[in-house]
Amino acid sequence: MSHRNTINRLAAALFVSAAALTLAGCDSTTGASEPPKKAEFNFPERAAAVERGRYLVTIGGCNDCHTPFKMGANGPEPDMSRMLSGHPESVVVTSAPRIEGGGPYVWAGVATTTAFAGPWGVSFARNLTPDENTGIGVWDETIFMNTIRNGRHWGVARPILPPMPWFNYAKMTDEDLKAVFAYLRSIPPIHNRIPEPLPPAEMTEMPAATGS
């Protein structure tokens, strides 16, 4: 074998090796040529946000209206098996009690503490669980924050009705609102469809309520 042929073979071998290394570096399965993907969220920070949200939801009294009450050993108490699922769809309310003008009472609530009647009509506590069909499972963080900040359903739709104190919650920091949303996304989804509010014109006689 001539000296020239040896050099040519060595050059060809080096070229093949370099090409192989280049192809290996571009192989998407190895990820060698791609920077490592950033995690969707930092797990310790996410856990801390959820715990912060749990605390805020608890002291903010969200369960007082959005979790149906049941009769317990010591009287009415939240039914935590239906935590934050809103007004039970099995409790059908088609009208509100008549409240005589001039008296001390101007609004009334059902026994589950999830539906309320007053001059605004009848309002029903919403399902705050992450169920995608009946809760807020399709909401994102921006929709949730706009809802609280603007006092409107979905952030842009109809006004949020009494007795929801959204104007107080609107004063929360962005970090706290994000924590509340993170917690609400962490709880079990419950399928429970909430009726639309009833206008004042439908507030006539005593309520027709069925179910439990």
Side-chain angles (χ1 to χ4, degrees), residues 1-117:
M1 180 182 296
S2 68
H3 182 67
R4 180 179 296 275
N5 288 339
T6 301
I7 293 175
N8 288 340
R9 290 183 176 232
L10 288 173
L14 290 173
F15 176 82
V16 171
S17 298
L21 288 173
T22 300
L23 290 174
C26 294
D27 185 358
S28 60
T29 60
T30 64
S33 63
E34 299 178 357
K37 293 183 178 180
K38 185 178 180 181
E40 184 179 357
F41 49 76
N42 182 290
F43 284 97
E45 292 181 1
R46 171 76 174 183
V50 168
E51 285 307 307
R52 173 68 176 171
R54 186 196 310 273
Y55 166 76
L56 292 170
V57 165
T58 301
I59 67 169
C62 299
N63 286 300
D64 293 347
C65 295
H66 291 273
T67 297
F69 272 51
K70 65 178 182 178
M71 188 60 67
N74 299 313
E77 63 184 20
D79 181 359
M80 299 309 286
S81 69
R82 297 186 288 177
M83 183 179 68
L84 299 176
S85 62
H87 180 73
E89 61 183 44
S90 60
V91 180
V92 180
V93 177
T94 59
S95 61
R98 180 183 296 278
I99 301 175
E100 300 296 337
Y105 297 101
V106 295
W107 70 280
V110 300
T112 57
T113 74
T114 55
F116 309 90

Side-chain angles (χ1 to χ4, degrees), residues 188-207:
I190 298 176
H191 186 90
N192 179 50
R193 194 170 301 280
I194 310 301
E196 289 301 310
L198 302 178
E202 296 187 28
M203 294 176 59
T204 53
E205 301 301 329
M206 294 299 292

